[in-house]
């Protein structure tokens, strides 16, 4: 700007007012070669403008460090190591300058072209997690996570909305995808999932070894799955399998509105059916369902709902096993021992070695604990503790039980134990749902006592006196 203004005959004083540059600097700029490039950084370097970096004097030495032979396990020379070496040599400058110089001097490998290849029928499937921020009709914004799967040959797709990206979620989503496909392909390809890949090792010959997480490895053995992990940032390994997560984001979530989460799931199911059965694939120019018939898939020995995900736990002194906020009862003989939980989608079976200790609903109705009647009887063997054990089990049924028992105990401080015993026997006879319904009605009419609950449960219409 200074050069153009001066070429047009603008006085230095006016140039200073327009640009904020002093007249002395303006005189210097007039003597420099004409500026022809807008790259300010290259311009400064070509004229040695600015203070010289303190790290520049080490440039040749750093270049030699890059040429040194290194052990395979040490990996390539990193900026932090270079900075540490320079500090030992007396360098007192900033680390940013060192990292920038390392980036400039680091040897670069020539780019490797991506090898595209078409998979054979039943050879590969691809699986990955994705997420997308969604604004629902009421203005609520939610991060929606999904698990996407696709067969490489036919491009047949399966997409499931999930709550998390934990190991059990991966396993059950895979099984549902295989059920949707009609079987298991020869190999299943995964990106860098921490729930699947524990670590990678580089052998001396340069080959890579993948260490799978123990639970995922057990799943692969149980179901006959051959997993294949892509190396991070290596798109060459993915062949012609396109960006599956991007495909879902760009083709489903774009230009759609959702009333709520159930509406999103319903629309997703419709979209999956459409891309599988009606829409020709851009890559194959065929409808995926047509090519699916050619896929050679193996029968899966397990289903998503019934596959047992095995977890070890120690039985607490209360004769219960804790797992992710839930409690499950076991016989008292197992206290202090390590048991194995066989977690299905809706049920959990607990084993001590080969012995089955009990089966529970995976998610108890009260949201926190499941106590089998035969296990509860062991809590009642001590006479003095039985009323309190029964009372606690009733309290665990639902929060509405607490105000009823509180009122009962205060009204009958000397007789509540008998009431609690009769209430627990009634609960065993009619079950949780009917017991809570009777309790709710008794609370509504302000009748506190086991005799009223029994009358309500039997459907009789006695005159309910207030006690």
């Amino acid at each position: 700007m200074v050069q153009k203004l001066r070429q047009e005959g603008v006085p230095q004083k006016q140039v200073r007012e327009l640009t904020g540059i002093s007249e002395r600097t303006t005189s210097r700029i007039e003597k420099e070669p004409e500026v022809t490039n807008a790259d300010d950084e290259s311009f400064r370097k070509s004229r040695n403008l600015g203070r010289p970096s303190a790290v520049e004097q080490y440039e040749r030495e750093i270049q030699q460090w890059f040429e040194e032979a290194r052990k395979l396990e040490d990996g390539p020379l990193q900026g932090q190591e270079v900075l540490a070496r320079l500090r030992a040599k007396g360098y007192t400058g900033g680390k940013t300058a060192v990292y920038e110089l390392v980036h400039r001097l680091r040897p670069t490998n020539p780019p490797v072209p991506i090898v595209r290849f078409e998979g054979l029928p039943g050879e590969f499937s691809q699986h990955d997690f994705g997420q997308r921020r969604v604004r629902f009709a009421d203005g609520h914004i939610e991060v929606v996570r999904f698990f996407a799967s696709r067969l490489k040959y036919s491009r047949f797709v399966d997409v499931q909305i999930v709550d998390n990206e934990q190991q059990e979620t991966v396993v059950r989503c895979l099984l549902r995808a295989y059920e949707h496909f009609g079987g298991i392909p020869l190999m299943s390809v995964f990106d860098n999932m921490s729930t699947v890949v524990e670590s990678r090792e580089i052998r001396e010959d340069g080959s890579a070894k993948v260490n799978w997480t123990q639970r995922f490895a057990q799943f692969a053995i149980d179901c006959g799955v051959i997993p294949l992990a892509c190396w991070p940032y290596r798109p060459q390994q993915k062949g012609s399998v396109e960006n599956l997560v991007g495909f879902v984001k760009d083709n489903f979530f774009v230009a759609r509105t959702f009333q709520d989460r159930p509406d999103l799931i319903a629309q997703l199911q419709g979209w999956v059916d459409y891309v599988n059965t009606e829409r020709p694939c851009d890559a194959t120019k065929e409808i995926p369902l047509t090519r699916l018939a050619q896929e050679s898939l193996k029968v899966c020995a397990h289903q998503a709902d019934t596959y047992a995900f095995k977890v070890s736990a120690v039985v607490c002194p209360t004769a219960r096993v804790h797992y992710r906020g839930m409690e499950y009862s076991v016989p008292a003989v197992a206290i202090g021992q390590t048991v194995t939980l066989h977690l299905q989608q809706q049920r959990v079976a607990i084993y001590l070695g080969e012995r089955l200790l009990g089966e529970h609903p995976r998610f108890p109705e009260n949201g926190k604990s499941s106590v089998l009647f035969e296990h509860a009887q062991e809590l009642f063997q001590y006479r003095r503790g039985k009323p309190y054990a029964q009372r606690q089990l009733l309290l665990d049924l639902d929060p509405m039980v607490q105000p009823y028992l509180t009122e009962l105990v205060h009204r009958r401080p000397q007789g509540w134990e008998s009431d609690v015993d009769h209430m627990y026997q009634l609960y065993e006879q009619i079950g949780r749902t009917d017991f809570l319904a009777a309790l709710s009605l008794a609370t509504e009419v302000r009748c506190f006592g086991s005799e009223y609950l029994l009358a309500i449960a039997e459907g009789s219409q006695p005159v309910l006196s207030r006690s």
Side-chain angles (χ1 to χ4, degrees):
M1 182 183 294
V2 170
Q3 288 179 347
K4 293 299 182 184
L5 289 173
R6 290 296 292 152
Q7 289 173 4
E8 295 297 327
V10 178
Q12 287 188 352
K13 183 178 180 180
Q14 190 173 351
V15 170
R16 182 185 63 187
E17 295 174 353
L18 291 172
T19 64
I21 295 176
S22 67
E23 295 179 15
R24 180 177 179 181
T25 303
T26 299
S27 299
R28 178 178 58 78
I29 292 175
E30 288 185 74
K31 300 176 183 179
E32 293 181 349
E34 185 176 358
V35 176
T36 58
N37 193 317
D39 186 352
D40 185 66
E41 184 177 356
S42 299
F43 176 82
R44 286 177 170 273
K45 288 183 178 180
S46 66
R47 289 161 173 76
N48 295 320
L49 299 180
R51 289 186 297 173
S53 173
V55 77
E56 294 294 337
Q57 58 180 312
Y58 300 101
E59 180 173 340
R60 183 180 296 276
E61 191 169 5
I62 296 174
Q63 185 69 54
Q64 293 175 353
W65 292 346
F66 275 114
E67 297 173 358
E68 293 176 352
R70 294 177 63 84
K71 295 181 180 179
L72 192 62
E73 59 269 20
D74 292 339
L77 182 65
Q78 300 295 332
Q80 289 182 336
E81 183 179 346
V82 172
L83 179 61
R85 291 190 184 187
L86 292 179
R87 293 291 191 212
K89 289 180 172 292
Y91 172 72
T92 58
K95 62 180 180 181
T96 301
V98 174
Y99 294 158
E100 291 176 351
L101 182 60
V102 168
H103 179 73
R104 179 162 60 87
L105 297 180
R106 185 186 304 280
T108 57
N109 297 322
V112 178
I114 296 177
V115 179
R116 293 294 186 185
F117 62 93
E118 286 299 326
L120 299 174
E123 187 178 17
F124 291 107
S125 64
Q126 180 193 16
H127 310 272
D128 202 1
F129 279 112
Q131 61 183 34
R132 179 67 180 262
R133 288 171 58 88
V134 174
R135 181 186 296 274
F136 293 112
D138 62 357
H140 170 65
I141 298 178
E142 180 180 335
V143 177
V144 177
R145 294 179 173 84
F146 60 89
F147 185 85
S149 305
R150 178 166 54 187
L151 289 170
K152 178 179 174 64
Y153 175 76
S154 63
R155 266 60 170 194
F156 197 85
V157 173
D158 179 81
V159 185
Q160 304 167 49
I161 301 298
V162 298
D163 296 325
N164 54 64
E165 300 182 10
Q166 297 171 355
Q167 278 188 326
E168 187 176 356
T169 301
V170 174
V171 167
R172 301 207 185 279
C173 284
L174 281 172
L175 289 171
R176 291 193 186 93
Y178 294 146
E179 291 173 14
H180 193 191
F181 294 159
I184 302 176
L186 179 63
M187 287 180 282
S188 295
V189 183
F190 301 89
D191 270 356
N192 197 33
M193 292 185 190
S194 60
T195 52
V196 173
V197 179
E198 185 174 82
S199 63
R200 290 177 169 87
E201 299 177 13
I202 303 297
R203 299 188 179 95
E204 293 184 359
D205 60 358
S207 62
K209 176 189 176 183
V210 176
N211 297 315
W212 306 98
T213 59
Q214 183 177 358
R215 291 176 182 171
F216 182 79
Q218 184 62 52
F219 157 75
I221 293 172
D222 292 341
C223 299
V225 175
I226 301 177
L228 180 66
C230 289
W231 198 264
Y233 313 111
R234 298 286 179 85
Q236 295 86 348
Q237 297 183 3
K238 299 180 182 179
S240 62
V241 178
E242 296 83 5
N243 181 357
L244 177 55
V245 171
F247 173 69
V248 177
K249 288 182 177 180
D250 297 340
N251 287 268
F252 172 69
F253 285 98
V254 172
R256 286 177 182 265
T257 57
F258 309 103
Q259 294 297 317
D260 48 27
R261 189 180 180 89
D263 178 50
L264 185 149
I265 294 175
Q267 290 194 45
L268 177 62
Q269 292 174 345
W271 176 80
V272 169
D273 290 339
Y274 168 72
V275 298
N276 283 335
T277 63
E278 299 182 38
R279 174 185 179 272
C281 175
D282 293 338
T284 65
K285 310 304 180 186
E286 295 183 53
I287 295 176
L289 183 62
T290 304
R291 291 169 67 98
L292 180 64
Q294 305 173 44
E295 297 273 15
S296 178
L297 304 174
K298 300 177 294 183
V299 176
C300 185
H302 295 274
Q303 296 181 339
D305 292 339
T306 57
Y307 178 76
F309 203 73
K310 300 176 181 62
V311 177
S312 297
V314 177
V315 179
C316 298
T318 55
R320 298 190 187 186
V321 179
H322 294 256
Y323 181 72
R324 291 189 177 174
M326 302 295 177
E327 295 181 351
Y328 308 101
S329 67
V330 296
V333 69
I335 291 176
Q337 300 192 59
T338 300
V339 296
T340 303
L341 282 69
H342 291 221
L343 302 164
Q344 299 181 3
Q345 183 73 35
Q346 300 298 334
R347 303 288 298 175
V348 53
I350 304 176
Y351 286 84
L352 179 60
E354 300 295 328
R355 176 189 172 189
L356 175 63
L357 300 180
E359 292 189 14
H360 298 264
R362 176 76 182 274
F363 304 100
E365 291 182 300
N366 62 12
K368 60 180 181 179
S369 63
S370 172
V371 180
L372 301 182
F373 289 129
E374 57 268 29
H375 298 160
Q377 298 306 314
E378 296 182 344
L379 302 174
F380 308 153
Q381 57 183 319
Y382 298 105
R383 185 173 179 179
R384 293 185 60 185
K386 179 179 179 180
Y388 293 94
Q390 289 178 323
R391 191 175 76 176
Q392 186 59 49
L393 290 173
L394 292 176
L395 287 170
D396 289 342
L397 293 178
D398 192 270
M400 65 180 293
V401 178
Q402 180 177 338
Y404 189 87
L405 285 180
T406 300
E407 190 72 25
L408 175 63
V409 169
H410 283 274
R411 291 191 181 203
R412 301 178 177 179
Q414 303 300 323
W416 67 265
E417 295 183 0
S418 176
D419 277 295
V420 167
D421 184 46
H422 293 148
M423 289 172 63
Y424 188 82
Q425 292 179 33
L426 179 63
Y427 158 61
E428 285 187 318
Q429 293 172 8
I430 65 177
R432 178 179 182 272
T433 302
D434 290 342
F435 177 81
L436 292 178
L439 189 79
S440 177
L441 180 57
T443 303
E444 183 179 346
V445 297
R446 304 290 294 171
C447 292
F448 300 94
S450 58
E451 66 272 20
Y452 302 116
L453 293 176
L454 180 61
I456 294 172
E458 292 178 346
S460 60
Q461 300 296 329
V463 178
L464 298 179
S465 61
R466 300 178 184 273
S467 63

